[in-house]
Amino acid sequence: MPVKQINNRNQDLTRLQYPNQFALGNRYLDRLNQWKQVQVNKELCLMVHPGLDVCRVGDDQKFLILIGYILDSHRPAADNEQIVSQLLAQFHRFDDFYEKTYCYGGRWIMIAGDGNDYYLFNDAAGHRQIFYTMADHGHGFWCASQPRLIAEITGRRMSREACRFIDSYEFRKNAEYRWPGYGSPYSEITHLLPNHYLNLRTGIRKRYWPSRPLKQTPLEQAVETASKMLKGLMEAASHRFDLAISLTAGLDSRVVLAASRKVVANSPVMTVRQIDKPQDYADVTVASQVAEMLGLKHDVIHSSLIVDDDFLSCFKQNTALPHYIYAPDAHAIYNCYHRNKVAVTGSISEIGRLSFRSQLGKPESEPIDGYDLARLQHMGRQPYAVKEFDTWLSGLGNIHNIPLLDLFEWEQGHGNWLAMCHMEFDIGWKDLLAPFNCRDLLTLLLSVDSSHRNSPDYTLYKEIINTLWPELLKVPINPQKIHTKNKIAALKAKIPQPIKNSVKRLLGM
């Protein structure tokens, strides 16, 4: 292989090692000497992957540092520095500062220094992840995008409890396995879930949301406001990035496509056909039908079991407990776009759709415990999972009128599992964007009466589509699921009631 090709190959592999990640600790690391370096204060050194943006404004006493990107739906042309500078002008004391960020979207982490303390928090759904460990055993404080990097720096190992959990049937049976609660596989390495901030001086974690009850919003008002926010966020993203807009047969991607009406002409819509899916899989055929109807460029990315060895090595190294089932998709995406595009997904909107309540199988009047939550995450009665979810429940405090399962969906479904999945796919994309990842937008959805957010109609979401791009409703949403549900309903109707009651008793429902 010619020298030039070897050099290009080495540079490419460097891009694929810990893409879009950061590390924060008491010194700069030789192993990350090609990363961007930012001195936070006398004690803390920030290292940021070369492909990830970092922006600092302010002086030594009062400052803000942004890692990643932040979007303003009201000022789509504003860049990171302009938005962070505006936030700095509003930064008087941290106790109410984080509320100033509620109107913004993006995928970001913020470090705020007020002259006395230093604080760390992230975007609404925690999709720019934060793991940390406190100073001990001579290692000092360390914080990073994922726990494996911290473990390698500090020499920490997986805990015995975590190893038993990893080896359990409940963990191994699920190819899309999840990690429960605030924990990580490594001893004393903690996950800062969304809706929390970390005091970098004291090491104290605090929940800051929800802080007050949500007022109910009429459907019509919510549709109008959400439509404007989603449209503005997509316009803001189009000013920054070369986009690829994900499209499936589902509802969430249809909403995002509707919000992209003004920008999609310059961006392909994209569908990944996984290795276990047939050519006529609904996500592909329905998406193709929508794209053809509107004259949009549609990229169908075909996943393959043949994955480049060097790519797979980076994929395994970049996170703790990588999901190997995602490697073929990530490799196919990388081969198609070479990390030059930002993926736009419909993720996070599920927070507003009561998805967990329908799965629980017990009356709303009954209390929810760690076992219930473990069961929702397909972890059965596994002791480690139950304990971690009980810990999460015990730290909730007053969540006002936010339904517990909606908050669980927010913090565990999206701020934990999905955030880690997005990190794994950073190897294939320049970055990822979920337009629903905006606190004002998510709280708006939750403030609408649940009857408008629930299945089977999902009125709120369909009305947003109808407002932004009504033609998109001409093609059925999830037609295969409607057909399956009708068949299941017909079969259930034939089952005698005594048998139904017996099954419910056996399942503890």
Side-chain angles (χ1 to χ4, degrees):
M1 184 182 293
V3 173
K4 185 176 181 180
Q5 287 185 334
I6 292 173
N7 289 338
N8 289 340
R9 178 74 166 170
N10 290 338
Q11 290 174 5
D12 205 34
L13 290 175
T14 300
R15 292 172 63 213
L16 299 184
Q17 292 172 347
Y18 306 123
N20 292 345
Q21 296 191 31
F22 79 97
L24 176 67
N26 59 6
R27 65 189 187 279
Y28 293 118
L29 300 171
D30 290 341
R31 64 183 291 190
L32 304 179
N33 60 8
Q34 296 185 37
W35 286 24
K36 301 172 186 176
Q37 297 182 349
V38 179
Q39 195 72 37
V40 176
N41 55 31
K42 292 179 180 179
E43 293 82 30
L44 292 175
C45 302
L46 174 65
M47 293 149 280
V48 178
H49 186 274
L52 182 61
D53 288 337
V54 60
C55 167
R56 177 177 179 139
V57 297
D59 53 32
D60 291 341
Q61 291 299 307
K62 188 176 74 169
F63 63 84
L64 297 174
I65 298 174
L66 178 82
I67 306 169
Y69 67 91
I70 190 167
L71 302 175
D72 187 344
S73 64
H74 302 290
R75 296 188 302 155
D79 61 21
N80 283 339
E81 188 169 355
Q82 290 170 326
I83 295 172
V84 177
S85 295
Q86 179 174 313
L87 281 168
L88 183 67
Q90 300 172 294
F91 181 19
H92 304 296
R93 59 190 189 94
F94 186 75
D95 287 346
D96 59 9
F97 167 69
Y98 44 78
E99 294 189 6
K100 312 297 184 187
T101 68
Y102 287 5
C103 61
Y104 297 110
R107 189 180 177 208
W108 51 265
I109 290 167
M110 190 93 59
I111 303 174
D114 64 4
N116 296 310
D117 284 324
Y118 308 94
Y119 303 90
L120 185 75
F121 65 108
N122 52 5
D123 57 70
H127 274 212
R128 190 74 68 193
Q129 288 199 109
I130 300 169
F131 286 82
Y132 66 95
T133 185
M134 301 315 299
D136 68 343
H137 308 302
H139 292 297
F141 167 85
W142 281 96
C143 178
S145 302
Q146 46 94 3
R148 178 173 176 169
L149 186 55
I150 301 174
E152 290 174 353
I153 294 168
T154 62
R156 282 181 169 81
R157 297 186 177 186
M158 290 188 181
S159 69
R160 290 182 179 179
E161 281 186 310
C163 288
R164 284 194 288 268
F165 176 51
I166 293 167
D167 197 42
S168 69
Y169 168 74
E170 291 83 359
F171 184 86
R172 289 182 286 108
K173 71 177 180 179
N174 186 2
E176 296 188 281
Y177 45 78
R178 306 180 173 204
W179 200 264
Y182 294 104
S184 81
Y186 301 94
S187 298
E188 300 174 326
I189 297 179
T190 304
H191 192 182
L192 187 71
L193 294 179
N195 305 320
H196 298 73
Y197 68 75
L198 178 68
N199 185 313
L200 293 175
R201 185 179 62 82
T202 66
I204 295 173
R205 177 187 70 218
K206 183 177 179 181
R207 174 181 291 280
Y208 65 84
W209 192 91
S211 58
R212 62 182 68 92
L214 292 183
K215 296 179 181 179
Q216 191 166 91
T217 304
L219 175 64
E220 296 77 11
Q221 180 183 337
V223 169
E224 180 183 1
T225 304
S227 298
K228 289 179 179 177
M229 293 176 72
L230 286 165
K231 179 182 174 184
L233 288 168
M234 283 307 305
E235 289 181 17
S238 71
H239 278 278
R240 305 273 194 95
F241 307 120
D242 189 3
L243 304 174
I245 300 167
S246 176
L247 184 61
T248 67
L251 176 65
D252 305 318
S253 68
R254 200 76 63 94
V255 175
V256 167
L257 180 59
S260 308
R261 184 173 186 175
K262 283 193 173 182
V263 306
V264 71
N266 300 317
S267 307
V269 294
M270 174 277 303
T271 309
V272 177
R273 197 205 79 188
Q274 286 87 5
I275 52 176
D276 62 336
K277 299 298 188 294
Q279 288 284 359
D280 61 351
Y281 186 58
D283 276 350
V284 176
T285 57
V286 172
S288 297
Q289 187 179 350
V290 172
E292 183 178 0
M293 177 183 72
L294 300 172
L296 303 176
K297 182 179 185 299
H298 183 211
D299 294 338
V300 179
I301 300 175
H302 297 269
S303 186
S304 170
L305 282 173
I306 301 172
V307 178
D308 177 84
D309 288 343
D310 290 331
F311 181 94
L312 186 59
S313 178
C314 290
F315 182 85
K316 292 177 179 178
Q317 169 185 326
N318 287 344
T319 59
L321 300 175
H323 294 84
Y324 296 119
I325 193 174
Y326 301 150
D329 293 353
H331 187 243
I333 290 166
Y334 174 77
N335 284 338
C336 183
Y337 296 128
H338 303 285
R339 295 199 76 244
N340 292 319
K341 289 187 180 292
V342 170
V344 182
T345 79
S347 303
I348 304 178
S349 78
E350 296 95 331
I351 291 171
R353 293 207 274 109
L354 291 83
S355 57
F356 275 156
R357 170 52 66 185
S358 61
Q359 298 174 36
L360 187 58
K362 65 188 293 186
E364 291 192 35
S365 57
E366 291 187 17
I368 293 171
D369 58 21
Y371 165 63
D372 293 320
L373 300 181
R375 187 158 54 88
L376 280 174
Q377 297 286 274
H378 309 290
M379 298 174 187
R381 296 181 179 273
Q382 211 289 325
Y384 178 86
V386 173
K387 184 195 76 172
E388 287 295 318
F389 288 136
D390 275 332
T391 299
W392 180 80
L393 285 167
S394 67
L396 285 178
N398 184 3
I399 62 172
H400 303 282
N401 61 344
I402 306 297
L404 186 149
L405 289 180
D406 288 349
L407 190 61
F408 183 70
E409 173 84 75
W410 186 321
E411 296 185 7
Q412 297 291 333
H414 289 79
N416 199 332
W417 170 75
L418 186 62
M420 185 58 75
C421 295
H422 278 197
M423 176 174 292
E424 293 181 61
F425 277 96
D426 275 327
I427 197 173
W429 297 107
K430 179 180 177 65
D431 214 316
L432 293 100
L433 164 67
F436 282 93
N437 191 12
C438 168
R439 189 174 300 278
D440 277 354
L441 178 56
L442 290 174
T443 53
L444 175 66
L445 299 180
L446 291 174
S447 72
V448 177
D449 187 272
S450 61
S451 64
H452 300 308
R453 300 184 279 118
N454 209 346
S455 63
D457 296 327
Y458 297 115
T459 306
L460 171 61
Y461 295 84
K462 290 181 179 177
E463 284 302 313
I464 292 172
I465 298 172
N466 191 53
T467 298
L468 292 170
W469 203 345
E471 287 82 3
L472 292 180
L473 292 174
K474 292 181 179 179
V475 178
I477 295 168
N478 280 329
Q480 78 285 6
K481 289 187 177 181
I482 295 172
H483 177 68
T484 301
K485 284 180 179 179
N486 289 340
K487 288 179 67 176
I488 291 173
L491 288 171
K492 283 184 175 180
K494 296 178 180 179
I495 299 174
Q497 191 61 45
I499 294 178
K500 291 181 183 179
N501 294 339
S502 298
V503 170
K504 285 183 178 181
R505 284 194 297 272
L506 285 171
L507 296 176
M509 297 169 61

